[in-house]
Amino acid sequence: MKKILFLLTVLLVFPLFVSAQQFEPRPGLKVILPEVSDAWQAGAEAPANLLEHMIEHLREDAARSGQSPTEEQLSRAAQQRLATNDLFVFNPDSGAHLLISFSALDKNEAPPSMRAIELSARYAADGVVDEGWENVKVRQNSAQIDGAASAQRFEIDYSHEGEDSRFVGVVGFAAPYWFWLYANDHLADPEDRQVIETLLSGIRLQVERQK
């Protein structure tokens, strides 16, 4: 009886965790995610709240350009934009998410140098910053990703419409794939930051050698 009460107490005090998950977004390419709180989910389909967020983002961009697309056009454009990602890891309640995408080198293309990856991360950070963001602070440094030859990480703290947010990006190379890990934390749940750090530090990439 005491053991049962102890187990119930543990379950009430500590959040449940889902076991490490393995995905194969491309033939021969495996993405292994570490254990995180069960408030987070993972899959190949974009969650509804992320689609809505992307639609609103595109609507704001269109308004700044003096355009007035229909809801159908915005929805289609948002779906196309999100379809470039191979894997979505997200908290459906807070809206925090990690987007994972890959792009293989062309057949005769040489692997990128560390300098090329560093520049790519810098350009990625510049491209991420939206015109509507305020109080933007950007930091960049090298990163360690299990299975990657090299990687660069950048962090962006910003505010949008009076609300603070944090964006973390990792750009790297795991032969023969470039990869991008883009995490956005809207600071709605204080636990999201640690989950994102756990995902970025614990993610593993495994690529089968071509025969």
Side-chain angles (χ1 to χ4, degrees):
M1 184 65 179
K2 289 183 178 179
K3 289 184 178 179
I4 295 175
L5 289 174
F6 174 76
L7 288 173
L8 288 174
T9 302
V10 169
L11 290 175
L12 287 172
V13 174
F14 297 99
L16 293 173
F17 287 84
V18 295
S19 60
Q21 298 184 70
Q22 180 173 293
F23 300 86
E24 191 168 357
R26 309 285 179 91
L29 169 63
K30 294 180 181 179
V31 177
I32 303 170
L33 301 176
E35 295 181 353
V36 295
S37 167
D38 66 346
W40 283 66
Q41 303 173 19
E45 296 291 332
N49 60 352
L50 182 56
L51 179 60
E52 293 173 2
H53 179 77
M54 180 62 70
I55 290 174
E56 186 58 32
H57 171 74
L58 294 175
R59 181 182 289 110
E60 292 176 359
D61 284 350
R64 283 194 290 264
S65 302
Q67 300 175 343
S68 301
T70 65
E71 287 299 313
E72 182 180 351
Q73 290 172 327
L74 287 170
S75 178
R76 185 164 57 249
Q79 291 172 351
Q80 291 174 346
R81 182 80 65 89
L82 291 172
T84 61
N85 297 286
D86 293 279
L87 187 61
F88 301 85
V89 191
F90 56 95
N91 182 336
D93 296 323
S94 69
H97 56 267
L98 170 65
L99 309 182
I100 303 174
S101 59
F102 298 89
S103 179
L105 293 177
D106 292 334
K107 185 175 181 181
N108 298 318
E109 188 177 0
S113 64
M114 293 180 64
R115 176 60 175 168
I117 293 173
E118 181 180 347
L119 289 174
S120 181
R122 187 178 305 171
Y123 295 146
D126 291 341
V128 164
V129 175
D130 187 86
E131 291 182 23
W133 289 6
E134 300 175 334
N135 305 317
V136 177
K137 297 179 181 179
V138 182
R139 300 173 299 281
Q140 181 175 331
N141 57 290
S142 61
Q144 297 293 324
I145 299 295
D146 192 339
S150 181
Q152 283 280 317
R153 168 178 169 140
F154 61 89
E155 301 177 22
I156 306 174
D157 293 316
Y158 68 96
S159 59
H160 179 59
E161 296 182 347
E163 296 185 0
D164 293 334
S165 291
R166 179 171 179 264
F167 188 100
V168 182
V170 176
V171 179
F173 183 72
Y177 295 99
W178 279 90
F179 65 85
W180 295 266
L181 314 176
Y182 283 177
N184 206 334
D185 181 4
H186 301 295
L187 308 182
D189 185 335
E191 293 186 2
D192 285 339
R193 181 165 188 161
Q194 183 56 53
V195 170
I196 288 173
E197 291 301 329
T198 298
L199 288 168
L200 293 177
S201 63
I203 188 172
R204 288 186 288 151
L205 306 178
Q206 294 182 354
V207 183
E208 294 181 2
R209 292 186 177 182
Q210 299 292 330
K211 297 181 180 180

